[in-house]
Amino acid sequence: MARKQRFREDEDAAVDMTPMLDIVFIMLIFFIVTTSFVKEAGIEVNKPKAAQAQTKKNSNIFIAIRENGEIWMDKRQVDVERVSANLESLMAEQPTDVVIIQADEGAKHGVVVKVMDQIKATGDNLKISIAGDK
């Protein structure tokens, strides 16, 4: 009889892990939902230095312009005429009101202006920021 009683005490001492796993999964879902995703241009650009640089928050669409005139959005090269269409598709995924242009120090002014025109053609409420190094 004593053996059965000791076995029952050991059985009652087990820890139920289900509530802890539920909490871990709820926290995981919370962090996935609240994470903001940044749409990087996909290339490294040698930006010019800026004396009055300000950091913009909640801006998540980057357009990079290389010295040779290549335009990069969402880790792929695009033509200047396709900037507006690509921007519309990116904004459908994640709406924003700020688009950041990362132009290389040696990029031609004309290409940057064409990209800015394409951004404005996408929506008048979009704000354009030019990225610079601090």
Side-chain angles (χ1 to χ4, degrees), residues 74-86:
D74 198 24
K75 296 186 176 86
R76 56 193 163 92
Q77 186 177 353
V78 296
D79 194 33
V80 71
E81 289 83 20
R82 303 292 302 152
V83 168
S84 182
N86 283 300

Side-chain angles (χ1 to χ4, degrees), residues 23-36:
I23 291 172
V24 169
F25 284 128
I26 289 171
M27 288 174 52
L28 178 67
I29 291 170
F30 172 77
F31 287 120
I32 289 172
V33 169
T34 58
T35 302
S36 66

Side-chain angles (χ1 to χ4, degrees), residues 94-106:
Q94 189 168 5
T96 185
D97 61 344
V98 178
V99 177
I100 297 179
I101 298 176
Q102 297 173 316
D104 194 274
E105 223 172 356

Side-chain angles (χ1 to χ4, degrees), residues 8-16:
R8 222 176 254 152
E9 287 175 6
D10 290 344
E11 188 177 303
D12 291 340
V15 176
D16 188 17

Side-chain angles (χ1 to χ4, degrees), residues 62-131:
F62 291 85
I63 300 174
I65 303 171
R66 281 194 169 163
E67 188 174 5
N68 61 2
E70 292 178 353
I71 302 167
W72 287 76
M73 293 177 68
D74 198 24
K75 296 186 176 86
R76 56 193 163 92
Q77 186 177 353
V78 296
D79 194 33
V80 71
E81 289 83 20
R82 303 292 302 152
V83 168
S84 182
N86 283 300
L87 189 57
E88 285 177 0
S89 67
L90 288 174
M91 288 181 58
E93 293 174 14
Q94 189 168 5
T96 185
D97 61 344
V98 178
V99 177
I100 297 179
I101 298 176
Q102 297 173 316
D104 194 274
E105 223 172 356
K108 298 210 183 316
H109 183 259
V111 176
V112 176
V113 171
K114 286 179 185 177
V115 170
M116 291 172 76
D117 285 342
Q118 289 289 315
I119 294 169
K120 282 299 179 185
T122 305
D124 287 333
N125 61 341
L126 287 175
K127 297 177 188 113
I128 301 172
S129 290
I130 307 290

